[in-house]
Amino acid sequence: MKLSTKHLLGIKDLTKEDIQLILSTAEQFKEVLQRPVKKVPSLRDITIVNLFYENSTRTRMSFELAERRLSADVLNFTASSSSAAKGETLLDTVNNILSMKVDMVVMRHSASGAPHFLAKHIPAAIVNAGDGINEHPTQALLDAFSMREKLGKLEGLKVAIIGDIMHSRVALSNMYLLRKMGAEILVVGPPTLIPKYISEALGVRVTYNLQEALKWCDVANVLRIQLERQNQPLFSSLREYNLAYGIKRKMLENLGKDIVIMHPGPINRGVELDSDVADGPYSIILNQVENGVAVRMAALYLLAGRES
Ligand code: CP
Protein backbone atom coordinates (compact mmCIF):
# COMPACT_ATOMS: atom_id res chain seq x y z
CA MET A 1 0.00 0.00 0.00
CA LYS A 2 1.09 3.59 -0.69
CA LEU A 3 0.24 7.00 0.75
CA SER A 4 -2.26 9.14 -1.16
CA THR A 5 0.04 12.17 -0.84
CA LYS A 6 3.54 13.19 -1.92
CA HIS A 7 4.11 15.51 1.07
CA LEU A 8 3.28 15.32 4.77
CA LEU A 9 2.11 18.89 5.34
CA GLY A 10 -0.65 18.21 7.82
CA ILE A 11 -3.07 15.61 9.15
CA LYS A 12 -5.83 17.63 7.48
CA ASP A 13 -4.66 16.34 4.07
CA LEU A 14 -4.35 12.66 5.08
CA THR A 15 -7.05 10.02 4.61
CA LYS A 16 -7.99 7.59 7.36
CA GLU A 17 -6.25 4.90 5.25
CA ASP A 18 -3.03 7.00 5.12
CA ILE A 19 -3.07 7.29 8.92
CA GLN A 20 -3.70 3.55 9.36
CA LEU A 21 -0.86 2.80 6.91
CA ILE A 22 1.64 5.03 8.75
CA LEU A 23 0.66 3.54 12.13
CA SER A 24 0.90 -0.07 10.95
CA THR A 25 4.23 0.59 9.19
CA ALA A 26 5.47 2.22 12.41
CA GLU A 27 4.67 -1.01 14.29
CA GLN A 28 7.07 -2.85 11.98
CA PHE A 29 9.76 -0.23 12.55
CA LYS A 30 9.22 -0.37 16.31
CA GLU A 31 10.08 -4.05 16.08
CA VAL A 32 13.27 -3.17 14.14
CA LEU A 33 14.21 -0.75 16.92
CA GLN A 34 14.10 -3.55 19.51
CA ARG A 35 16.81 -5.50 17.64
CA PRO A 36 20.54 -5.34 18.55
CA VAL A 37 21.18 -3.78 15.10
CA LYS A 38 18.54 -1.05 14.84
CA LYS A 39 19.17 -0.18 11.22
CA VAL A 40 17.70 -1.16 7.84
CA PRO A 41 18.97 -0.25 4.33
CA SER A 42 15.55 0.99 3.07
CA LEU A 43 16.53 4.61 2.23
CA ARG A 44 20.24 4.23 1.45
CA ASP A 45 19.67 5.95 -1.93
CA ILE A 46 17.90 8.97 -0.37
CA THR A 47 19.32 12.25 0.99
CA ILE A 48 17.27 14.22 3.52
CA VAL A 49 17.82 17.73 4.86
CA ASN A 50 16.48 18.72 8.29
CA LEU A 51 15.71 22.40 7.90
CA PHE A 52 15.04 23.89 11.33
CA TYR A 53 14.14 27.60 11.47
CA GLU A 54 12.81 27.21 15.02
CA ASN A 55 14.22 25.49 18.13
CA SER A 56 13.59 21.80 18.74
CA THR A 57 14.96 18.99 20.86
CA ARG A 58 12.67 15.97 20.38
CA THR A 59 11.45 16.42 16.81
CA ARG A 60 14.81 17.25 15.35
CA MET A 61 16.70 14.41 17.07
CA SER A 62 13.89 11.97 16.39
CA PHE A 63 13.86 12.78 12.64
CA GLU A 64 17.63 12.54 12.42
CA LEU A 65 17.68 9.20 14.22
CA ALA A 66 14.81 7.90 12.05
CA GLU A 67 16.69 8.94 8.90
CA ARG A 68 19.93 7.30 10.06
CA ARG A 69 18.09 4.11 11.14
CA LEU A 70 16.77 3.95 7.54
CA SER A 71 20.34 4.44 6.18
CA ALA A 72 19.49 7.77 4.48
CA ASP A 73 22.19 10.42 4.01
CA VAL A 74 21.40 13.31 6.38
CA LEU A 75 22.13 17.05 6.23
CA ASN A 76 21.29 19.33 9.15
CA PHE A 77 20.49 23.02 8.74
CA THR A 78 20.03 25.45 11.63
CA ALA A 79 18.77 28.89 10.58
CA SER A 80 20.68 30.81 13.26
CA SER A 81 24.08 29.51 12.05
CA SER A 82 23.29 29.72 8.32
CA SER A 83 23.14 32.41 5.64
CA ALA A 84 19.45 32.84 6.54
CA ALA A 85 20.87 35.03 9.32
CA LYS A 86 22.37 37.23 6.53
CA GLY A 87 18.98 37.64 4.88
CA GLU A 88 18.87 34.73 2.39
CA THR A 89 15.26 33.84 1.56
CA LEU A 90 13.71 30.47 2.40
CA LEU A 91 13.30 29.65 -1.28
CA ASP A 92 16.90 30.57 -2.16
CA THR A 93 18.16 28.51 0.77
CA VAL A 94 16.16 25.46 -0.22
CA ASN A 95 16.97 25.69 -3.93
CA ASN A 96 20.67 25.86 -3.05
CA ILE A 97 20.34 22.79 -0.84
CA LEU A 98 18.37 20.91 -3.50
CA SER A 99 21.03 21.63 -6.13
CA MET A 100 23.25 19.34 -4.02
CA LYS A 101 20.86 16.50 -4.97
CA VAL A 102 18.68 16.35 -1.86
CA ASP A 103 15.47 14.29 -2.18
CA MET A 104 13.44 15.21 0.89
CA VAL A 105 13.06 18.25 3.17
CA VAL A 106 11.98 18.03 6.81
CA MET A 107 11.10 21.55 7.92
CA ARG A 108 10.17 23.36 11.13
CA HIS A 109 9.28 27.04 10.84
CA SER A 110 7.63 29.63 13.07
CA ALA A 111 5.44 30.80 10.14
CA SER A 112 2.21 28.85 9.63
CA GLY A 113 2.08 27.65 6.02
CA ALA A 114 5.86 27.78 5.37
CA PRO A 115 6.06 24.09 4.33
CA HIS A 116 2.95 24.50 2.13
CA PHE A 117 4.68 27.43 0.38
CA LEU A 118 7.79 25.31 -0.21
CA ALA A 119 5.73 22.38 -1.54
CA LYS A 120 4.33 24.70 -4.25
CA HIS A 121 7.76 25.85 -5.40
CA ILE A 122 10.18 22.91 -5.20
CA PRO A 123 10.12 19.33 -6.53
CA ALA A 124 11.28 17.55 -3.33
CA ALA A 125 8.93 15.84 -0.85
CA ILE A 126 8.29 18.07 2.20
CA VAL A 127 7.65 16.87 5.73
CA ASN A 128 6.19 19.43 8.13
CA ALA A 129 8.00 19.18 11.49
CA GLY A 130 5.80 21.95 12.97
CA ASP A 131 4.68 25.21 11.33
CA GLY A 132 3.71 28.11 13.59
CA ILE A 133 0.31 27.55 15.17
CA ASN A 134 -0.89 25.39 12.29
CA GLU A 135 0.09 21.68 12.38
CA HIS A 136 2.63 19.21 13.77
CA PRO A 137 1.56 16.07 11.94
CA THR A 138 4.25 13.63 13.11
CA GLN A 139 3.53 14.60 16.74
CA ALA A 140 -0.16 13.69 16.27
CA LEU A 141 0.84 10.41 14.58
CA LEU A 142 3.18 9.45 17.42
CA ASP A 143 0.54 10.48 19.95
CA ALA A 144 -2.02 8.25 18.21
CA PHE A 145 0.49 5.39 17.99
CA SER A 146 1.18 5.72 21.73
CA MET A 147 -2.53 5.85 22.67
CA ARG A 148 -3.28 2.80 20.54
CA GLU A 149 -0.28 0.93 21.95
CA LYS A 150 -1.36 1.68 25.54
CA LEU A 151 -5.15 1.27 25.20
CA GLY A 152 -5.53 -0.97 22.13
CA LYS A 153 -7.72 1.31 20.00
CA LEU A 154 -8.43 4.84 18.79
CA GLU A 155 -12.07 4.44 17.78
CA GLY A 156 -14.34 5.39 20.68
CA LEU A 157 -11.43 6.54 22.85
CA LYS A 158 -12.23 9.57 25.03
CA VAL A 159 -9.39 12.09 24.73
CA ALA A 160 -9.18 15.39 26.62
CA ILE A 161 -6.80 17.96 25.11
CA ILE A 162 -5.89 20.34 27.90
CA GLY A 163 -4.37 23.83 27.98
CA ASP A 164 -3.26 26.35 25.37
CA ILE A 165 -5.43 25.14 22.49
CA MET A 166 -5.29 28.52 20.72
CA HIS A 167 -1.54 28.48 20.04
CA SER A 168 -0.98 24.75 19.74
CA ARG A 169 -0.16 23.03 16.45
CA VAL A 170 -0.11 19.76 18.40
CA ALA A 171 -3.73 20.33 19.42
CA LEU A 172 -4.90 21.01 15.87
CA SER A 173 -3.13 17.99 14.37
CA ASN A 174 -4.42 15.79 17.21
CA MET A 175 -7.98 17.01 16.67
CA TYR A 176 -7.87 16.29 12.92
CA LEU A 177 -6.36 12.85 13.48
CA LEU A 178 -8.54 11.71 16.37
CA ARG A 179 -11.73 12.83 14.58
CA LYS A 180 -10.72 10.90 11.45
CA MET A 181 -10.04 7.79 13.54
CA GLY A 182 -13.34 7.94 15.45
CA ALA A 183 -12.18 9.11 18.89
CA GLU A 184 -14.24 11.52 21.03
CA ILE A 185 -12.53 14.81 21.88
CA LEU A 186 -13.05 17.28 24.71
CA VAL A 187 -10.92 20.43 24.73
CA VAL A 188 -10.22 22.02 28.09
CA GLY A 189 -8.64 25.28 29.20
CA PRO A 190 -9.31 28.89 30.09
CA PRO A 191 -11.80 30.60 27.71
CA THR A 192 -9.04 32.96 26.51
CA LEU A 193 -6.97 29.99 25.26
CA ILE A 194 -9.75 28.21 23.37
CA PRO A 195 -10.83 29.58 19.95
CA LYS A 196 -14.52 30.66 19.99
CA TYR A 197 -15.81 28.59 17.05
CA ILE A 198 -13.78 25.43 17.66
CA SER A 199 -16.84 23.20 18.31
CA GLU A 200 -18.49 24.08 14.99
CA ALA A 201 -15.22 24.13 13.01
CA LEU A 202 -13.68 20.92 14.31
CA GLY A 203 -16.52 18.90 15.84
CA VAL A 204 -15.10 18.79 19.37
CA ARG A 205 -16.73 19.48 22.74
CA VAL A 206 -15.43 22.27 24.98
CA THR A 207 -15.30 22.64 28.76
CA TYR A 208 -13.54 25.13 31.01
CA ASN A 209 -13.69 22.67 33.92
CA LEU A 210 -10.60 20.48 34.39
CA GLN A 211 -12.26 18.08 36.89
CA GLU A 212 -15.12 17.38 34.48
CA ALA A 213 -12.62 16.55 31.74
CA LEU A 214 -10.47 14.29 33.90
CA LYS A 215 -13.52 12.36 35.12
CA TRP A 216 -14.70 11.84 31.52
CA CYS A 217 -11.53 10.96 29.62
CA ASP A 218 -9.41 7.86 29.06
CA VAL A 219 -6.45 9.99 27.95
CA ALA A 220 -5.44 13.51 28.95
CA ASN A 221 -3.08 15.08 26.41
CA VAL A 222 -1.69 18.07 28.27
CA LEU A 223 -0.22 20.96 26.29
CA ARG A 224 2.56 23.39 27.02
CA ILE A 225 1.62 27.00 27.72
CA GLN A 226 3.21 28.71 24.73
CA LEU A 227 4.14 32.12 26.06
CA GLU A 228 6.40 32.76 23.04
CA ARG A 229 3.30 32.75 20.79
CA GLN A 230 1.16 34.98 23.03
CA ASN A 231 1.36 38.68 22.12
CA GLN A 232 -0.53 39.79 25.22
CA PRO A 233 -1.32 38.20 28.61
CA LEU A 234 -4.19 35.70 28.23
CA PHE A 235 -4.36 34.65 31.90
CA SER A 236 -3.36 36.41 35.08
CA SER A 237 -0.23 34.43 36.04
CA LEU A 238 1.39 31.02 35.66
CA ARG A 239 0.63 30.38 39.35
CA GLU A 240 -3.09 30.97 38.79
CA TYR A 241 -3.02 28.88 35.61
CA ASN A 242 -1.50 26.05 37.65
CA LEU A 243 -4.17 26.39 40.34
CA ALA A 244 -7.01 26.12 37.79
CA TYR A 245 -5.59 23.83 35.10
CA GLY A 246 -2.37 22.24 36.42
CA ILE A 247 -2.54 18.43 36.79
CA LYS A 248 -1.64 17.21 40.28
CA ARG A 249 -1.01 13.62 41.38
CA LYS A 250 -3.72 13.71 44.09
CA MET A 251 -6.34 14.71 41.48
CA LEU A 252 -5.57 11.61 39.44
CA GLU A 253 -5.53 9.31 42.49
CA ASN A 254 -8.92 10.67 43.58
CA LEU A 255 -10.50 9.81 40.20
CA GLY A 256 -10.64 6.13 41.18
CA LYS A 257 -10.09 4.99 37.58
CA ASP A 258 -7.32 4.47 35.04
CA ILE A 259 -6.17 7.52 33.10
CA VAL A 260 -3.25 8.03 30.72
CA ILE A 261 -1.30 11.31 30.85
CA MET A 262 0.48 12.53 27.72
CA HIS A 263 2.47 15.66 26.90
CA PRO A 264 4.31 16.51 23.66
CA GLY A 265 7.16 18.27 25.52
CA PRO A 266 8.89 20.43 26.44
CA ILE A 267 7.09 20.42 29.82
CA ASN A 268 6.71 23.51 32.00
CA ARG A 269 7.02 21.57 35.26
CA GLY A 270 4.80 22.99 37.99
CA VAL A 271 2.66 24.87 35.43
CA GLU A 272 0.64 22.43 33.30
CA LEU A 273 1.95 19.29 35.02
CA ASP A 274 3.49 18.62 38.41
CA SER A 275 6.70 16.59 38.35
CA ASP A 276 5.17 13.63 40.21
CA VAL A 277 2.59 13.40 37.39
CA ALA A 278 5.08 13.83 34.54
CA ASP A 279 7.38 11.18 36.02
CA GLY A 280 4.69 9.04 37.67
CA PRO A 281 2.76 5.88 36.83
CA TYR A 282 0.00 7.56 34.77
CA SER A 283 2.47 9.17 32.37
CA ILE A 284 3.51 7.74 28.98
CA ILE A 285 5.49 10.85 28.02
CA LEU A 286 8.79 9.05 27.40
CA ASN A 287 6.98 6.28 25.49
CA GLN A 288 5.73 9.03 23.17
CA VAL A 289 9.31 10.14 22.56
CA GLU A 290 10.45 6.55 21.95
CA ASN A 291 7.59 5.93 19.52
CA GLY A 292 8.40 9.13 17.62
CA VAL A 293 11.40 7.47 15.98
CA ALA A 294 9.40 4.50 14.63
CA VAL A 295 6.56 6.76 13.47
CA ARG A 296 8.95 9.11 11.66
CA MET A 297 10.73 6.14 10.08
CA ALA A 298 7.34 4.99 8.77
CA ALA A 299 6.41 8.42 7.42
CA LEU A 300 9.78 8.92 5.65
CA TYR A 301 9.77 5.38 4.26
CA LEU A 302 6.28 5.77 2.79
CA LEU A 303 6.90 9.32 1.48
CA ALA A 304 9.97 7.96 -0.34
CA GLY A 305 7.49 5.82 -2.30
CA ARG A 306 8.31 2.54 -0.55
CA GLU A 307 5.42 0.14 -0.04
CA SER A 308 4.41 -1.43 3.23
N1 CP B 1 7.17 17.93 20.81
C1 CP B 1 8.01 18.76 20.18
O1 CP B 1 7.77 19.23 19.05
O2 CP B 1 9.16 19.02 20.87
P1 CP B 1 10.39 19.89 20.30
O3 CP B 1 9.91 21.30 20.16
O4 CP B 1 11.50 19.72 21.30
O5 CP B 1 10.74 19.30 18.95
Side-chain angles (χ1 to χ4, degrees):
M1 284 179 70
K2 285 192 165 196
L3 290 178
S4 69
T5 169
K6 174 183 170 182
H7 307 287
L8 179 51
L9 300 176
I11 302 293
K12 190 177 184 183
D13 311 317
L14 297 184
T15 63
K16 182 174 180 181
E17 290 71 32
D18 288 329
I19 294 167
Q20 280 165 335
L21 179 59
I22 295 171
L23 297 183
S24 62
T25 308
E27 274 173 17
Q28 295 168 37
F29 283 123
K30 179 138 188 193
E31 187 271 316
V32 169
L33 295 174
Q34 312 307 316
R35 296 179 195 161
V37 178
K38 301 170 179 54
K39 201 161 175 163
V40 287
S42 313
L43 298 192
R44 68 181 164 196
D45 55 334
I46 298 279
T47 304
I48 304 176
V49 61
N50 299 312
L51 200 65
F52 277 67
Y53 280 83
E54 197 190 69
N55 294 345
S56 169
T57 297
R58 279 146 292 271
T59 311
R60 183 180 176 140
M61 294 180 79
S62 181
F63 266 113
E64 184 171 345
L65 202 51
E67 291 151 7
R68 293 190 189 283
R69 300 284 196 224
L70 290 165
S71 305
D73 288 324
V74 179
L75 286 173
N76 285 312
F77 167 97
T78 307
S80 58
S81 60
S82 77
S83 290
K86 302 178 199 163
E88 189 169 49
T89 67
L90 173 61
L91 203 50
D92 278 343
T93 299
V94 175
N95 276 326
N96 276 273
I97 293 170
L98 292 186
S99 69
M100 298 182 229
K101 308 286 178 236
V102 170
D103 304 290
M104 212 180 276
V105 178
V106 174
M107 185 169 77
R108 168 167 290 193
H109 204 289
S110 56
S112 299
H116 306 69
F117 167 79
L118 263 197
K120 284 199 184 104
H121 290 93
I122 63 166
I126 312 287
V127 185
N128 181 0
D131 65 320
I133 60 168
N134 181 39
E135 282 223 45
H136 192 348
T138 57
Q139 180 70 45
L141 286 160
L142 75 88
D143 288 347
F145 184 95
S146 305
M147 286 179 213
R148 198 174 74 164
E149 182 179 65
K150 181 73 183 172
L151 297 170
K153 63 173 186 177
L154 292 174
E155 183 152 12
L157 209 61
K158 293 178 177 168
V159 182
I161 304 177
I162 301 175
D164 186 357
I165 310 294
M166 178 94 79
H167 302 96
S168 175
R169 55 195 176 207
V170 175
L172 190 58
S173 286
N174 261 271
M175 287 186 271
Y176 284 137
L177 188 149
L178 292 167
R179 285 272 294 150
K180 286 181 196 225
M181 302 309 285
E184 291 180 59
I185 306 165
L186 181 59
V187 298
V188 193
T192 48
L193 293 180
I194 299 183
K196 277 199 179 67
Y197 303 108
I198 195 168
S199 288
E200 296 86 332
L202 293 170
V204 299
R205 282 201 305 124
V206 175
T207 179
Y208 307 123
N209 184 319
L210 179 63
Q211 273 303 327
E212 178 197 333
L214 293 177
K215 279 186 192 147
W216 171 83
C217 71
D218 304 309
V219 176
N221 198 354
V222 186
L223 304 173
R224 182 172 67 88
I225 289 291
Q226 291 160 102
L227 292 174
E228 78 277 16
R229 297 191 195 136
Q230 296 178 16
N231 298 326
Q232 58 193 30
L234 292 168
F235 49 88
S236 43
S237 69
L238 290 176
R239 168 102 185 104
E240 286 187 38
Y241 180 86
N242 175 258
L243 287 173
Y245 292 101
I247 314 274
K248 288 126 193 132
R249 177 76 170 259
K250 200 84 201 138
M251 269 180 194
L252 302 180
E253 287 168 354
N254 288 343
L255 290 172
K257 64 161 195 172
D258 289 336
I259 185 167
V260 174
I261 299 292
M262 301 176 67
H263 192 298
I267 301 168
N268 293 310
R269 288 176 181 262
V271 179
E272 64 260 5
L273 277 185
D274 282 2
S275 278
D276 57 1
V277 175
D279 307 327
Y282 302 98
S283 166
I284 61 163
I285 293 170
L286 292 180
N287 304 73
Q288 292 173 256
V289 178
E290 179 187 346
N291 290 334
V293 179
V295 166
R296 291 180 173 113
M297 285 173 82
L300 295 166
Y301 175 88
L302 292 164
L303 287 165
R306 308 300 195 257
E307 292 197 32
S308 185

